[in-house]
């Protein structure tokens, strides 16, 4: 396990116990299961994606810490079926950050564990993606094998959720094509649907008019990259950029 990070400096805090100086928000009003998950340990980074420590999901997602520069590692999975339709999810109302928002198939964080810290061939991030696809959507691991995930690039963005919570992530973009069985976890996901490319374009164009909420990272990826990647699912190699961290805001 990595050293916890001092939220006032962003440096590893070897004197920390289970609490952190940034854990100032009362969680008593939130869903019990989502509160439990806030105790998971995320990978704290510098702005160049170097792991420098670990901090709880709660600590990493408080705007009071984000405003001091705290950034953590994340991933975004885009899963397409054999008809090249993209699986979307709508985040559950129980979610503490960005509830009820539509987003890509699965978005979460590798944890500060030996298996998910492993950076060789981005295997730690891929293990986390496989784990969360099962947790959120009930997709069996054998339907999304690790060697089927295609890592495209990374984005770095910051986005407030409600003034208290937000995101500040270096986000690994993973594509996978698979026909999967779903068993949705209602505490994580309100609804799911597959969309064709033109259908998603229309959905996003009409989102504000229709009151459809979208996660900020999904909007950023949609505006910057998604459709050129989607149009080339059979040959993504020319679009892979592992050297660049795209600073999107």
């Amino acid at each position: 396990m990595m050293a916890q990070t001092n939220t006032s400096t962003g440096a590893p805090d070897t004197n920390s116990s289970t609490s952190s100086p940034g854990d100032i928000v009362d969680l008593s009003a939130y869903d019990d299961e989502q509160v439990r998950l806030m105790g998971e340990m995320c990978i704290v980074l510098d702005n160049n994606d170097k792991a420098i420590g670990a901090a709880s999901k709660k600590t990493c997602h408080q705007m009071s810490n984000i405003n001091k520069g705290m950034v953590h590692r994340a991933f975004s999975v885009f899963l397409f079926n054999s008809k090249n339709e993209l699986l979307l999810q709508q985040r559950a109302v129980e979610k503490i950050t960005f509830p009820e928002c539509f987003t890509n198939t699965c978005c979460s964080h590798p944890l500060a564990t030996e298996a998910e810290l492993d950076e060789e061939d981005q295997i730690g991030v891929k293990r986390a993606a496989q784990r969360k696809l099962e947790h959120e959507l009930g997709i069996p691991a054998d339907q999304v094998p690790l060697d089927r995930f295609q890592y495209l690039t990374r984005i770095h963005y910051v986005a407030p959720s409600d003034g208290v919570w937000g995101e500040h992530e270096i986000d690994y973009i993973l594509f996978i094509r698979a026909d999967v069985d779903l068993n949705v976890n209602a505490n994580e996901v309100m609804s799911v649907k597959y969309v064709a490319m033109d259908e998603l374009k229309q959905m996003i164009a009409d989102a504000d008019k229709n009151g459809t909420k979208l996660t900020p990272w999904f909007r950023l990826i949609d505006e910057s990259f998604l459709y050129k990647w989607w149009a080339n699912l059979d040959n993504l190699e020319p679009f892979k950029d592992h050297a660049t961290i795209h600073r999107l805001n």
Side-chain angles (χ1 to χ4, degrees):
M1 180 67 70
M2 302 185 73
Q4 285 192 293
T5 296
N6 185 314
T7 54
S8 64
T9 66
D13 181 2
T14 56
N15 296 317
S16 291
S17 61
T18 55
S19 63
S20 164
D23 282 343
I24 58 174
V25 178
D26 181 7
L27 295 178
S28 60
Y30 295 99
D31 174 79
D32 288 346
E33 175 61 11
Q34 292 299 318
V35 169
R36 183 188 70 80
L37 294 170
M38 278 293 192
E40 293 182 332
M41 297 300 287
C42 294
I43 302 167
V44 177
L45 308 170
D46 67 13
N47 283 337
N48 293 311
D49 196 29
K50 179 182 177 182
I52 60 172
S56 71
K57 186 177 174 184
K58 176 184 177 185
T59 297
C60 289
H61 288 82
Q62 289 179 50
M63 286 305 301
S64 58
N65 297 323
I66 290 169
N67 290 336
K68 297 172 187 174
M70 177 172 273
V71 57
H72 60 278
R73 186 171 288 161
F75 65 82
S76 288
V77 174
F78 291 74
L79 184 148
F80 301 86
N81 63 18
S82 56
K83 296 188 287 186
N84 289 348
E85 295 170 326
L86 172 62
L87 179 60
L88 303 183
Q89 67 156 276
Q90 183 182 20
R91 292 163 66 87
V93 68
E94 289 86 356
K95 297 290 283 187
I96 293 173
T97 58
F98 304 101
E100 301 178 88
C101 289
F102 280 93
T103 195
N104 50 287
T105 311
C106 181
C107 331
S108 191
H109 316 91
L111 302 181
T113 63
E114 183 177 358
E116 295 187 10
L117 278 161
D118 190 344
E119 296 181 355
E120 184 174 357
D121 193 32
Q122 302 81 42
I123 194 66
V125 170
K126 294 173 183 177
R127 287 170 177 149
Q130 188 184 67
R131 171 176 58 82
K132 289 300 290 184
L133 285 167
E134 191 284 326
H135 174 237
E136 295 186 3
L137 296 165
I139 298 173
D142 62 3
Q143 294 184 0
V144 284
L146 296 178
D147 61 5
R148 293 276 297 280
F149 287 100
Q150 296 199 65
Y151 163 51
L152 296 183
T153 193
R154 292 167 290 177
I155 66 169
H156 181 189
Y157 76 96
V158 60
S161 178
D162 61 2
V164 175
W165 305 103
E167 293 285 6
H168 186 196
E169 301 180 328
I170 293 178
D171 189 13
Y172 285 64
I173 311 303
L174 301 174
F175 271 33
I176 187 168
R177 186 153 52 175
D179 291 317
V180 297
D181 298 314
L182 299 176
N183 183 16
V184 173
N185 179 350
N187 188 256
E188 291 285 329
V189 177
M190 178 182 292
S191 67
V192 295
K193 65 177 179 176
Y194 283 97
V195 292
M197 187 186 299
D198 288 344
E199 185 180 356
L200 180 62
K201 288 179 178 179
Q202 192 64 53
M203 175 182 169
I204 290 179
D206 294 342
D208 292 340
K209 177 180 68 176
N210 292 339
T212 302
K213 298 192 290 184
L214 304 169
T215 62
W217 61 88
F218 186 41
R219 277 190 182 271
L220 288 170
I221 296 166
D222 174 86
E223 293 166 359
S224 302
F225 301 111
L226 178 57
Y227 299 111
K228 65 181 179 182
W229 292 338
W230 195 341
N232 290 277
L233 288 177
D234 290 326
N235 184 23
L236 287 169
E237 287 300 320
F239 300 92
K240 293 179 180 179
D241 181 359
H242 297 176
T244 305
I245 302 172
H246 300 275
R247 318 286 181 177
L248 295 189
N249 57 15

